[in-house]
Amino acid sequence: MGNSQGRVAVLLHIVGFGKGGIESALMQWLRIFDRSRFDVTLSVMFSSPAFEQHFRARVPADVKVEVLADRAWLTRLEARRYAGRLGKFGRVCRDVFNTAAVHPYVRKRLATLARQHDVLIDFDMSLRRWVRSFDIASVAVSHFSFNARFGHRPRKVRRLSHQLRDYDRVIALNQQMADEAPILFGNELPRPFLLPNAIDVDAIRARANEPAAPRSPVAAPYIVSVARLDELQKDHRTLLHAYARLLQDKPIVEHLVLVGDGAFRQELEACAASLGIAERTHFVGHVDNPHALIAGASLFILSSRNEGQPMGLLEALAHGKPVVSTDCPTGPRDILDHGRAGILLPVGDIQTMADAMGRILSNAQLREEMSAKALARAQHYGIEASKERLALCVGNVLKARHHPKAALALEAVST
């Protein structure tokens, strides 16, 4: 059992850091624990260039960081993977080596850490095969639609259903995600606890004013999309076609700025050229701090086929941006309050997307009204509201185990 000078000792785990929304969400989670009641440790299986160069400096100073694979001989193959120097045979070798050497070493270290903490939050469900052996109150966080990821894989669903029973509770980031769980897994699991990602509205707005924050590559007004260039999920093709249709239908001045990188970049650039919009479409690549780009946009657009709880959409609300988003599973519908804080439209519908963008861009009063609604909705995901939801979740998990620190966690929740 943890010993943190009377506070609840929380061990929050992730396998590693890339440059996606999950990592950005984790940074916010680390901030919303009430430090008078919670003592937080972050454990990471592997370090990475993204963690060392971007995220480590953003970890709050009072959060202890444990990199579990902390020997050079354990990380050599993983380092080659991060450098893009691991071929097909190398990937096979890495998988075998991780199973034979890295995982036993990391599992032993995690078992030691578990004995020093009161609750484990598995932020990416990477510990689902091990968590039973740690004998600690445990919570799994799902960041994606259960149905989109596993609905077409019945054997995976059965295996995952058994693994999720080893956790005390599963967290879903939005209501749609929570509603999917009993449909996919039946009543074998407790209904997921609803715990949206958090945003620090003031900090987000302040980051837009940082001197080093990248600005727009174009002097003209612009529409912005912030998403990985992954057509299996993000569907930028529909956005490009909708933007081309918009230019045909209305005399708008806005350019299109795409923030993000990925394997589909060349294909999407070629698509923009074939549509005749290349000169007005700007691919700026991955940006560590996209907030100035969001803050300066006329509107924010999300074109995804499926989501978890997109951080870009939450950050757009914090900046008071008019938002157009596909009503994809899962996330946008809850974030935009069923269309009251932004425009929702069908997935893959080019004309409807073009019409929605055109309606906003041609109506200044509508933009002002949508901006006010966005700012109001952002408060639902703010630090104070999120702090109480997180304390309630941890407190209830400990209470179900009759843990002596359950009452301390629940004291953080308003009555």
Side-chain angles (χ1 to χ4, degrees):
M1 183 179 295
N3 182 6
S4 300
Q5 298 179 341
R7 292 179 292 170
V8 178
V10 177
L11 178 62
L12 200 155
H13 177 81
I14 188 170
V15 69
F17 278 75
K19 296 180 178 179
I22 291 177
E23 292 84 354
S24 296
L26 175 57
M27 291 298 102
Q28 297 296 345
W29 278 57
L30 292 175
R31 300 187 62 194
I32 63 175
F33 284 98
D34 182 344
R35 296 309 204 266
S36 69
R37 291 170 170 80
F38 296 98
D39 181 73
V40 185
T41 299
L42 171 64
S43 71
V44 183
M45 184 177 293
F46 291 107
S47 185
S48 68
F51 180 61
E52 298 299 340
Q53 297 167 15
H54 179 51
F55 287 105
R56 187 185 278 272
R58 293 171 54 192
V59 175
D62 62 345
V63 172
K64 296 178 288 295
V65 177
E66 297 280 353
V67 177
L68 302 177
D70 58 352
R71 299 287 187 270
W73 64 275
L74 290 171
T75 60
R76 189 169 291 113
L77 289 174
E78 203 68 24
R80 290 179 64 85
R81 181 179 76 86
Y82 286 128
R85 295 188 290 111
L86 203 63
K88 184 176 180 180
F89 179 70
R91 289 194 295 271
V92 172
C93 292
R94 184 203 62 168
D95 292 344
V96 172
F97 181 72
N98 283 353
T99 300
V102 178
H103 291 172
Y105 180 89
V106 166
R107 187 171 180 173
K108 184 176 180 180
R109 288 206 63 198
L110 272 170
T112 300
L113 283 172
R115 289 192 292 271
Q116 299 166 0
H117 291 80
D118 302 305
V119 62
L120 166 67
I121 298 179
D122 186 358
F123 202 69
D124 55 1
M125 297 200 301
S126 59
L127 303 180
R128 59 186 182 273
R129 295 178 180 85
W130 303 349
V131 70
R132 177 186 293 184
S133 65
F134 293 150
D135 191 26
I136 183 176
S138 59
V139 178
V141 183
S142 175
H143 295 270
F144 302 99
S145 161
F146 289 112
N147 191 54
R149 292 194 78 183
F150 307 116
H152 60 294
R153 303 166 65 185
R155 292 179 62 184
K156 180 73 172 180
V157 168
R158 289 193 294 271
R159 184 163 63 250
L160 185 62
S161 177
H162 287 291
Q163 291 169 341
L164 291 180
R165 286 183 231 165
D166 292 335
Y167 295 94
D168 293 77
R169 202 71 186 263
V170 174
I171 288 173
L173 303 183
N174 54 63
Q175 189 62 55
Q176 283 179 285
M177 196 184 293
D179 291 342
E180 288 178 350
I183 296 172
L184 204 59
F185 302 117
N187 296 318
E188 298 176 356
L189 299 175
R191 190 168 185 84
F193 188 94
L194 191 59
L195 187 61
N197 284 328
I199 53 173
D200 185 333
V201 175
D202 292 337
I204 285 171
R205 294 172 70 83
R207 292 199 74 201
N209 297 316
E210 291 179 358
R215 264 57 184 180
S216 171
V218 61
Y222 60 93
I223 301 160
V224 70
S225 166
V226 181
R228 186 177 65 258
L229 301 184
D230 174 7
E231 288 308 281
L232 301 179
Q233 180 187 3
K234 302 299 184 179
D235 195 15
H236 290 89
R237 288 193 197 97
T238 291
L239 173 55
L240 293 175
H241 280 271
Y243 180 65
R245 185 77 55 86
L246 173 63
L247 294 181
Q248 294 172 6
D249 294 345
K250 288 184 178 293
I252 68 156
V253 298
E254 278 78 10
H255 286 223
L256 177 62
V257 174
L258 302 179
V259 183
D261 217 337
F264 288 83
R265 177 166 179 165
Q266 288 186 337
E267 183 178 323
L268 292 169
E269 289 175 335
C271 179
S274 70
L275 292 167
I277 60 173
E279 291 186 0
R280 295 184 60 165
T281 303
H282 308 272
F283 292 83
V284 301
H286 173 78
V287 173
D288 287 342
N289 178 3
H291 294 292
L293 290 166
I294 298 173
S298 299
L299 72 83
F300 181 97
I301 188 156
L302 184 76
S303 56
S304 297
R305 292 187 173 96
N306 63 80
E307 279 291 348
Q309 194 188 32
M311 288 298 293
L313 208 55
L314 293 173
E315 291 164 352
L317 296 182
H319 287 295
K321 293 292 103 179
V323 169
V324 173
S325 173
T326 51
D327 188 14
C328 65
T330 57
R333 189 184 304 174
D334 280 9
I335 292 173
L336 298 182
D337 196 16
H338 296 261
R340 287 183 281 270
I343 295 178
L344 292 168
L345 46 86
V347 172
D349 191 325
I350 293 170
Q351 188 63 56
T352 303
M353 184 178 290
D355 291 343
M357 291 190 290
R359 182 149 53 94
I360 293 171
L361 295 174
S362 61
N363 189 329
Q365 182 178 347
L366 176 59
R367 290 197 299 275
E368 290 180 7
E369 292 172 355
M370 292 184 70
S371 178
K373 290 177 179 178
L375 288 170
R377 182 60 177 167
Q379 297 305 319
H380 177 71
Y381 299 98
I383 293 294
E384 291 307 314
S386 299
K387 185 182 293 186
E388 293 208 351
R389 285 191 288 260
L390 183 54
L392 180 63
C393 176
V394 173
N396 284 342
V397 166
L398 294 176
K399 184 177 180 180
R401 285 202 172 214
H402 306 289
H403 194 288
K405 293 184 181 177
L408 175 62
L410 290 170
E411 281 179 20
V413 182
S414 297
T415 56

